[in-house]
Amino acid sequence: MKELRMILYKELIHIVRDKITLFLVLAIPIMLVLLFGFTISTEIRNAKVAVLDQSKDSQSVALIDKISSSGYFQVVAYPETESEIDRDFKEMDIKLAIIIPSEFEHSLEKEKIATLQIINDVSDLNVASVLNNYLQAITHDFITEYNHKGSESGTVEMVTNMRYNPEMNSVYMFVPGIITLIMIIVTALMSSITLAREKETGTMNMLLITPVKKVYVIIGKVIPYMCLSLISTAMIILISVFVFKMPVNGSIWLLLLLCIIFMFTAASFGMMISAISKTQIDAMMVTMMGLFLPTVLLSGFLFPLDNMPMFFQVLADVFPAKWFIIAIKDVMIKGSGFFDIWKYLGILILMAIVLITISLTNVDKRK
Amino acid sequence: MPEIDIQHINKRFGKIEALHDINIMVEQGEVFGLVGPDGAGKSTLFNILTTLLLPDSGQVDIMGMDVVKDYLQIRQSIGYLPGVFSLYPDLSVQENLAFFATMYKSSVLDNMSLIKPIWKQLLPFKDRPAGKLSGGMKQKLALCCALIHKPKILFLDEPTTGVDPVSRKEFWDILKDIQHKNVTVVVSTPYMDEATRCDRIALIQNGNIIKIDTPNNIISNFRGHLYTVKMDDIFGLMQLMNQFELTCNYYPYGEHFHIAFYDEVEKALPAFERFLQDHGRQYGEIKPITPNIEDCFIELMQMS
């Protein structure tokens, strides 16, 4: 045990004295979250809209109020005719125009159905579809409230069923992805690179001819980087909660358990990489091609898996990232409990066991 | 029983035969030198002896233990100083030593007696990162780390390569000192002058052992008659020498030209002088000299 403590201490010195790497490991997660959160956001705020209210009754005014107070839309013009809408599109750069037909309130009350006409600026398809979705959500809210007030129920014609992320909040999408990437970079890549460095510089041989157990050398290598990645993960979650208002609906302890289990899976990937690579470059390439790229492309983090060819969907199942991302979204957003996600935890643990077995059988016991 | 018994060791890496039928016996308490040019197979042999590499065939016993089966026991009683600097450059001198002491389940204080003379020289730099030491100091630190567990045998792979001449001499004094503390020392070197400081040496070339003997015996068994000439255009003369018909062995030696005759010297020497004059060469006095270990090595290489 004294040896293990010494190895941990030595590893800690390596980490603390390598200021640049330490800075990168701690700063990159923060930078990634802020970057994704503020710039690569698909979220649109204060989009300029024009409203042509042909009804001007209490319900149409209430709907306009709701739209302009949502934060997503800013009503900049109230055109009187449809031709004025065209002018507003060109001159005021509005993204969207809403036409409320005459007798809006009347239709809702008597016919239980009212129609909104939406005119979109589809020059940017993404913006248009995002705004449409916002509008649908707001209308849905509006009609729900309306139904609560009156005894009878009515509908507005653009109601879709959007759950869990009605604002299409992009933070929800990328935070699990970033946590996955950071865990892989810090736990798998850093530990395998530093292990390969010991092989490259010959210190591995020096360790080997000492009577110290090889498993201590590996454990001593992995634990500090696990701690480092836990710190990074905690920072990511804190930023997403406090800066981007992402909820943690599930148990924080379950979230921690999930992260620790995934960390073990990542660490066992790191062990396998170390077992097959002799140099730092090897370790880097194997991690990049074998772990990093599949995680980015095949985890559902950037590209939805449902649209992929069958082959890639099956391939995605083999990598741990997909399961971790599903599970962490369930815990953070849906508030799932242990019994909802135990299946994913099981898959991650199973993967870790398989990987550790492979790397232990492949490793030369003398080396 | 010899301390180290190497029998019929072979090792190849793909198409390259790194070691071919190596047989060496090292006695307890001697300084045994492995002398040969770069790429001769010295480091490969060291890796096998230190249990880091498996031989393809053959048998190695270290203190009666087999390097393949008993590698764990062997590792506890040997010290190894590899050919490349293999300590942690970001750890200080003191931290490196403490680290390896712990790895050997020992402590720095327990084993001060063996390393004290070296440690005293390192003391002023004890807080400096090992990577920022000079070449000689790095080797002294590595030696301390290799000795921290009082090994019975110390393996040193080219310990003085890249070290200045003064530090080299110091380093060898330290090795002799360690030998007197009853440690068997196996050391490799590409420097011929260092070979004479060993009790016995093995000359190794292209994976073959070409001679094992004491340095004195090797020198006294030099077969030719060796002469040295100082001249300017040694390279030009080397080109011409294939026209010289007597059996001889010649090579440039710094600013001098060394030539060993194997026929009767009474005839050969005048013939050589005539040869030089016929080709209009400018040359200094042709002096007979006692061969040094390098001359012997070259002769042995030519004959093998």
Side-chain angles (χ1 to χ4, degrees):
Chain A
M1 262 343 252
K2 210 177 157 200
E3 292 101 297
L4 183 59
R5 269 214 312 278
M6 192 54 156
I7 294 176
L8 286 173
Y9 174 66
K10 180 213 84 176
E11 218 56 51
L12 197 69
I13 295 182
H14 287 323
I15 293 173
V16 173
R17 293 206 181 143
D18 187 357
K19 296 260 163 25
I20 294 176
T21 310
L22 182 65
F23 172 76
L24 288 179
V25 166
L26 293 178
I28 281 178
I30 300 179
M31 273 157 47
L32 275 182
V33 181
L34 294 178
L35 200 72
F36 272 82
F38 283 123
T39 61
I40 313 180
S41 164
T42 53
E43 191 179 72
I44 300 158
R45 289 196 163 264
N46 294 324
K48 290 179 187 167
V49 293
V51 179
L52 169 50
D53 187 357
Q54 293 170 333
S55 185
K56 293 202 170 79
D57 51 41
S58 65
Q59 286 311 320
S60 74
V61 171
L63 178 63
I64 294 170
D65 265 359
K66 195 153 183 60
I67 291 170
S68 56
S69 64
S70 67
Y72 298 107
F73 297 102
Q74 185 190 357
V75 182
V76 292
Y78 294 94
E80 294 296 325
T81 63
E82 290 195 25
S83 62
E84 281 180 45
I85 292 177
D86 284 341
R87 185 201 61 198
D88 291 338
F89 266 114
K90 284 174 191 142
E91 289 176 10
M92 312 211 33
D93 196 26
I94 58 168
K95 300 288 175 209
L96 189 85
I98 303 162
I99 302 173
I100 304 175
S102 56
E103 312 218 320
F104 181 71
E105 187 174 2
H106 181 78
S107 310
L108 262 181
E109 262 175 41
K110 294 286 176 311
E111 289 153 41
K112 309 292 175 211
I113 185 152
T115 329
L116 284 182
Q117 195 190 338
I118 313 292
I119 303 169
N120 264 314
D121 170 8
V122 202
S123 59
D124 187 332
L125 185 63
N126 284 331
V127 171
S129 77
V130 169
L131 290 180
N132 266 357
N133 285 324
Y134 289 161
L135 201 56
Q136 278 190 344
I138 294 167
T139 320
H140 181 248
D141 268 4
F142 169 77
I143 205 71
T144 316
E145 278 169 27
Y146 173 82
N147 290 342
H148 275 294
K149 280 180 208 153
S151 50
E152 292 169 281
S153 59
T155 46
V156 168
E157 235 186 357
M158 35 180 304
V159 179
T160 50
N161 185 359
M162 294 218 299
R163 284 154 68 190
Y164 307 126
N165 186 9
E167 296 99 7
M168 296 194 68
N169 204 329
S170 50
V171 179
Y172 296 10
M173 302 296 164
F174 69 77
V175 162
I178 290 177
I179 292 177
T180 317
L181 289 185
I182 293 302
M183 289 253 197
I184 283 172
I185 291 177
V186 177
T187 320
L189 183 64
M190 295 290 284
S191 58
S192 61
I193 278 190
T194 50
L195 209 61
R197 183 190 298 158
E198 299 228 16
K199 288 185 192 172
E200 240 174 86
T201 55
T203 46
M204 197 55 173
N205 278 350
M206 292 298 286
L207 279 177
L208 283 176
I209 64 158
T210 70
V212 71
K213 289 199 183 77
K214 171 135 199 208
V215 64
Y216 284 173
V217 176
I218 292 173
I219 293 176
K221 196 55 115 176
V222 171
I223 288 179
Y225 289 101
M226 282 185 165
C227 296
L228 209 54
S229 75
L230 258 195
I231 295 174
S232 298
T233 305
M235 287 193 312
I236 298 172
I237 292 175
L238 285 179
I239 293 178
S240 5
V241 169
F242 289 107
V243 180
F244 297 110
K245 312 281 181 248
M246 183 167 176
V248 181
N249 291 327
S251 146
I252 192 89
W253 298 111
L254 184 62
L255 186 64
L256 187 68
L257 176 75
L258 175 65
C259 287
I260 290 177
I261 288 177
F262 182 66
M263 214 165 60
F264 272 102
T265 320
S268 51
F269 249 109
M271 271 180 65
M272 197 180 74
I273 294 162
S274 320
I276 55 177
S277 47
K278 287 198 177 70
T279 64
Q280 296 181 66
I281 298 289
D282 285 355
M284 190 110 79
M285 292 309 284
V286 175
T287 318
M288 281 298 165
M289 305 310 283
L291 197 51
F292 197 81
L293 277 186
T295 300
V296 172
L297 302 177
L298 294 176
S299 64
F301 156 44
L302 286 182
F303 308 106
L305 288 170
D306 300 336
N307 298 340
M308 285 185 188
M310 202 56 202
F311 171 74
F312 288 107
Q313 293 196 29
V314 173
L315 196 62
D317 292 347
V318 181
F319 292 96
K322 173 188 163 180
W323 307 107
F324 175 67
I325 287 182
I326 294 176
I328 197 173
K329 274 186 183 165
D330 282 1
V331 174
M332 286 185 84
I333 300 165
K334 288 191 196 167
S336 306
F338 178 79
F339 294 102
D340 301 311
I341 62 158
W342 69 269
K343 204 170 67 180
Y344 306 121
L345 295 178
I347 292 174
L348 291 175
I349 293 173
L350 198 71
M351 281 180 172
I353 292 173
V354 169
L355 287 168
I356 290 174
T357 317
I358 292 175
S359 42
L360 283 185
T361 46
N362 270 0
V363 83
D364 178 359
K365 282 202 188 68
R366 300 164 64 96
K367 291 233 155 185
Chain B
M1 189 179 64
E3 191 83 334
I4 302 173
D5 189 358
I6 306 171
Q7 287 177 12
H8 308 293
I9 287 294
N10 286 287
K11 180 74 194 177
R12 33 171 75 246
F13 297 107
K15 282 182 179 164
I16 300 157
E17 192 170 33
L19 292 174
H20 175 73
D21 195 28
I22 303 289
N23 294 283
I24 300 175
M25 278 189 197
V26 179
E27 297 302 328
Q28 204 276 323
E30 72 177 333
V31 173
F32 189 90
L34 212 53
V35 184
D38 290 346
K42 300 190 296 291
S43 296
T44 306
L45 186 55
F46 267 97
N47 280 336
I48 291 174
L49 295 180
T50 51
T51 76
L52 290 170
L53 193 67
L54 288 176
D56 293 340
S57 62
Q59 168 84 23
V60 183
D61 286 327
I62 293 190
M63 292 172 291
M65 295 178 285
D66 181 66
V67 281
V68 181
K69 289 203 291 282
D70 309 320
Y71 66 99
L72 282 177
Q73 291 96 298
I74 291 175
R75 286 176 182 182
Q76 301 195 20
S77 25
I78 60 170
Y80 177 38
L81 198 155
V84 285
F85 178 67
S86 300
L87 300 176
Y88 298 101
D90 51 340
L91 262 60
S92 74
V93 168
Q94 211 170 12
E95 286 163 343
N96 265 298
L97 193 61
F99 177 74
F100 282 102
T102 311
M103 292 304 108
Y104 279 110
K105 299 183 202 295
S106 145
S107 83
V108 179
L109 289 175
D110 288 349
N111 297 307
M112 224 8 152
S113 60
L114 192 58
I115 60 166
K116 199 163 190 179
I118 325 167
W119 182 241
K120 258 196 272 177
Q121 300 181 34
L122 280 167
L123 214 53
F125 310 104
K126 68 179 167 58
D127 293 319
R128 188 179 288 192
K132 293 198 171 139
L133 292 172
S134 69
M137 280 296 165
K138 274 182 184 165
Q139 289 305 71
K140 280 173 196 163
L141 174 59
L143 189 57
C144 277
C145 292
L147 287 171
I148 196 67
H149 57 300
K150 287 187 182 154
K152 300 274 191 304
I153 308 176
L154 180 62
F155 292 96
L156 306 111
D157 190 5
E158 301 201 4
T160 54
T161 301
V163 173
D164 68 87
V166 178
S167 301
R168 269 168 61 187
K169 190 185 166 300
E170 255 176 43
F171 198 84
W172 275 91
D173 292 340
I174 293 171
L175 285 190
K176 283 287 177 187
D177 196 48
I178 292 167
Q179 179 191 19
H180 293 139
K181 286 172 176 151
N182 215 15
V183 177
T184 308
V185 177
V186 181
V187 57
S188 75
T189 178
Y191 300 121
M192 300 294 164
D193 54 325
E194 292 185 342
T196 51
R197 303 207 57 172
C198 301
D199 296 324
R200 285 195 306 143
I201 51 177
L203 296 178
I204 181 168
Q205 185 197 17
N206 297 331
N208 291 288
I209 298 284
I210 52 182
K211 188 83 180 173
I212 303 178
D213 212 333
T214 64
N216 284 340
N217 281 349
I218 287 178
I219 290 169
S220 58
N221 286 336
F222 191 79
R223 288 169 50 200
H225 302 274
L226 188 66
Y227 288 84
T228 179
V229 198
K230 191 174 179 183
M231 60 171 65
D232 293 333
D233 186 15
I234 292 173
F235 183 72
L237 180 61
M238 293 289 292
Q239 309 280 79
L240 285 174
M241 280 305 286
N242 55 1
Q243 296 172 29
F244 185 64
E245 60 265 349
L246 290 169
T247 321
C248 67
N249 196 2
Y250 53 88
Y251 40 89
Y253 195 92
E255 289 184 311
H256 293 75
F257 182 78
H258 278 196
I259 183 160
F261 299 112
Y262 295 91
D263 294 319
E264 288 169 60
V265 193
E266 296 76 29
K267 285 183 197 162
L269 194 57
F272 178 56
E273 223 164 332
R274 218 167 27 250
F275 177 79
L276 290 177
Q277 285 159 2
D278 287 350
H279 287 88
R281 313 296 302 188
Q282 297 290 321
Y283 60 96
E285 192 193 346
I286 305 178
K287 285 184 286 196
I289 50 161
T290 347
N292 61 23
I293 199 81
E294 188 165 358
D295 296 306
C296 300
F297 188 52
I298 291 168
E299 180 179 76
L300 289 164
M301 264 167 47
Q302 296 286 339
M303 291 191 310
S304 64

